Amino acid sequence: MTLEMQMLLGLAIGITVLILLVLKTKIHAFLALIIAASITGLIGGMEPLKVVNSITSGFGNTLASIGIVVGLGVMMGRILEVTGAAEKLAYSLIRLVGKKKEEWAMAIAGYIVSIPIFVDSAFVILNPLVKSLSRKTGKSVVTLGVALAIGLAATHHAVPPTPGPLGVAGIFGVDIGEMIFWGLIFAVPIIIVGVLYAKWIGKRIYQLPEEDGEGFVRKDSSEMVYNNFLAASGDREKELPSLFKSFFPILLPIILIFLNTTLTALEFTGGAWEYVLFLGQPIIALALGLVAAIYGLANYMKREEALERMEEGMTTAGIILLVTGAGGALGTVLRDSGTGDYLAEIIAGLPLPAILVPFFIASIVRLIQGSGTVAMITAASISAPILANLDVNLALAAQAAALGAMLFSYFNDSLFWVVNRMLGITKLKEQILVWSVPTTLAWFTALIMLVIANAIVG
């Protein structure tokens, strides 16, 4: 067997073991990635001690670039959750977008809220508003719920500091400002397609919450009578933080990071610019955003509660960091073993655009094991060493790994159950229509956008 065949065999067995461990055993994805990295390196011809060195250096280098940022982002998200800031954003957007456009307001709310807050948690937080909107306006809870969920999923997959795309950016070595920029752009057409589908499916599954809030009632869409929701929302809004206090912690770090990326690209360095660049470093920008969240929303929680909520966020961040670091370890093993270079040579001769390699790897892993985060981290780990020596825009490649993981959310994805159960959808066919189909439409929209973007700036 040639060395090249040995490397490919090591990768194939390593990925197979990774998928089987995640699907069929009680082993966590973190440990499964470490085991897969070890198998890939050993079978691929690396010396045993070099495999260990690659794993530890890959793990450490990945966390060095994104570890603190993930922790800060998750803590800020928890503060926005418990103080009602996320809910305030949704109410304000409904008022801004106007009557009879509530589904667009919910999608935009999801687009913003899911940047710092985990998608499952964000849907749970805003679902009472979805039900209230449906009950008061007469619009199907399915229309409003799917619109919200697709908005949440779009930025959850594409925009740091959400841990998944942040980890992907770290593995590819992409500037976080660039990752945010492209993520915000790609999420827009995804949301437009998602809302149009939400309006269509809501007419076919016309369901309203019952007045007691405990169940749902199915009606014919011809019975719909629109009512003005905003007229009855004043009391709840009075209990929430102001719009400025709610939105500022999200907006501040994004502006600072964008400013840093722009000034760096324009080569504004030295002197006073160094301080501006300092503030725009993701670690500092997210820290300032967290401080703004803590003190701007201080009146809506006690000191002990703030510390407790932030520690809850840190616990969640720890799991994400371990998985991301392990993904970086697998990528380093592929790079050090030479497997990445060999695969790059093969792919360079294929008619397939190299930008789609991480996209389809993420799609396959997502279909097999369900977790979008694991899928995008795995895809980035495998494809980053392959694309490193090809003429590819790595920011687009990172987005490809992140967005490829949107494909066909199904039973093995927690968000599939969260969305369907909270919207009162129990039949299998309807569950697929309500969430599996729109995520696949989002995936296909992302595919088209990536191809177009790659043709322009790739």
Side-chain angles (χ1 to χ4, degrees):
M1 181 184 293
T2 64
L3 178 60
E4 288 79 7
M5 291 300 296
Q6 189 176 344
M7 289 189 294
L8 292 179
L9 179 63
L11 176 60
I13 294 176
I15 298 305
T16 301
V17 169
L18 168 63
I19 292 170
L20 289 175
L21 289 176
V22 172
L23 280 180
K24 301 295 184 181
T25 73
K26 297 179 180 179
I27 292 177
H28 193 275
F30 160 66
L31 181 55
L33 281 163
I34 296 296
I35 293 172
S38 302
I39 291 173
T40 300
L42 291 171
I43 297 178
M46 291 180 70
E47 296 177 11
L49 292 182
K50 286 187 176 179
V51 174
V52 175
N53 289 336
S54 291
I55 290 173
T56 53
S57 64
F59 186 92
N61 291 338
T62 302
L63 294 193
S65 64
I66 56 97
I68 298 175
V69 178
V70 169
L72 292 170
V74 172
M75 284 192 285
M76 183 173 72
R78 288 296 290 152
I79 297 295
L80 296 176
E81 283 182 43
V82 300
T83 56
E87 192 177 343
K88 176 63 178 183
L89 280 169
Y91 274 109
S92 300
L93 285 166
I94 292 168
R95 196 176 298 280
L96 178 66
V97 173
K99 295 187 295 183
K100 297 189 178 182
K101 298 178 182 177
E102 289 83 2
E103 61 273 10
W104 292 101
M106 295 310 299
I108 296 170
Y111 177 92
I112 297 171
V113 168
S114 196
I115 292 173
I117 300 177
F118 280 90
V119 62
D120 297 51
S121 299
F123 191 85
V124 171
I125 293 166
L126 294 177
N127 185 61
L129 180 56
V130 167
K131 293 170 70 175
S132 180
L133 264 175
S134 177
R135 197 161 42 239
K136 297 285 181 20
T137 64
K139 288 193 173 183
S140 173
V141 71
V142 173
T143 292
L144 298 168
V146 170
L148 170 63
I150 208 70
L152 291 167
T155 46
H156 172 78
H157 278 266
V159 183
T162 303
L166 186 60
V168 169
I171 292 170
F172 273 98
V174 172
D175 179 85
I176 292 176
E178 273 193 86
M179 192 70 175
I180 293 174
F181 173 77
W182 284 111
L184 291 173
I185 289 176
F186 287 139
V188 172
I190 288 173
I191 287 176
I192 292 171
V193 171
V195 172
L196 293 176
Y197 179 81
K199 294 172 74 172
W200 178 85
I201 191 65
K203 292 177 182 177
R204 282 147 185 81
I205 307 177
Y206 183 61
Q207 186 159 287
L208 300 174
E210 294 182 344
E211 287 300 322
D212 60 8
E214 295 299 320
F216 297 87
V217 58
R218 188 70 61 92
K219 293 186 176 183
D220 190 287
S221 59
S222 61
E223 300 177 48
M224 177 180 170
V225 178
Y226 182 84
N227 298 302
N228 187 359
F229 168 78
L230 291 173
S233 64
D235 291 340
R236 174 57 182 158
E237 280 199 88
K238 291 177 183 177
E239 303 171 6
L240 301 173
S242 70
L243 176 59
F244 176 78
K245 291 180 179 178
S246 300
F247 190 40
F248 186 66
I250 302 173
L251 186 63
L252 176 62
I254 290 177
I255 290 175
L256 291 174
I257 291 170
F258 272 165
L259 188 60
N260 171 62
T261 301
T262 303
L263 292 176
T264 301
L266 296 174
E267 299 183 356
F268 282 76
T269 57
W273 293 115
E274 291 292 326
Y275 293 95
V276 180
L277 294 173
F278 167 79
L279 293 175
Q281 293 298 310
I283 293 173
I284 304 302
L286 263 294
L288 292 173
L290 178 58
V291 171
I294 293 170
Y295 286 99
L297 303 169
N299 294 336
Y300 299 90
M301 58 184 173
K302 297 178 180 178
R303 178 181 179 277
E304 295 77 12
E305 184 182 12
L307 294 173
E308 181 181 341
R309 298 302 184 186
M310 284 189 287
E311 287 179 1
E312 289 174 0
M314 291 169 68
T315 301
T316 305
I319 298 170
I320 298 293
L321 287 172
L322 287 174
V323 173
T324 303
L330 174 58
T332 302
V333 168
L334 290 175
R335 189 177 293 111
D336 292 348
S337 68
T339 307
D341 292 337
Y342 178 63
L343 286 173
E345 293 176 9
I346 296 174
I347 290 168
L350 296 177
L352 177 73
I355 193 73
L356 297 183
V357 172
F359 186 84
F360 286 120
I361 293 174
S363 302
I364 293 167
V365 177
R366 167 60 181 259
L367 284 174
I368 293 172
Q369 57 79 51
S371 169
T373 300
V374 172
M376 63 179 80
I377 294 297
T378 302
S381 305
I382 294 171
S383 60
I386 299 172
L387 301 183
N389 297 322
L390 297 178
D391 185 19
V392 175
N393 185 316
L394 290 182
L396 294 182
Q399 282 295 334
L403 293 170
M406 293 193 78
L407 179 63
F408 200 76
S409 172
Y410 195 50
F411 289 163
N412 49 9
D413 177 19
S414 62
L415 188 59
F416 175 88
W417 297 110
V418 170
V419 171
N420 278 302
R421 285 175 177 172
M422 291 200 159
L423 298 181
I425 306 300
T426 56
K427 295 179 181 178
L428 174 59
K429 180 181 178 181
E430 290 184 349
Q431 289 176 335
I432 292 173
L433 287 171
V434 164
W435 194 233
S436 303
V437 171
T439 52
T440 304
L441 290 173
W443 172 88
F444 186 69
T445 303
L447 173 61
I448 295 172
M449 293 300 299
L450 282 164
V451 172
I452 294 172
N454 186 57
I456 297 171
V457 300

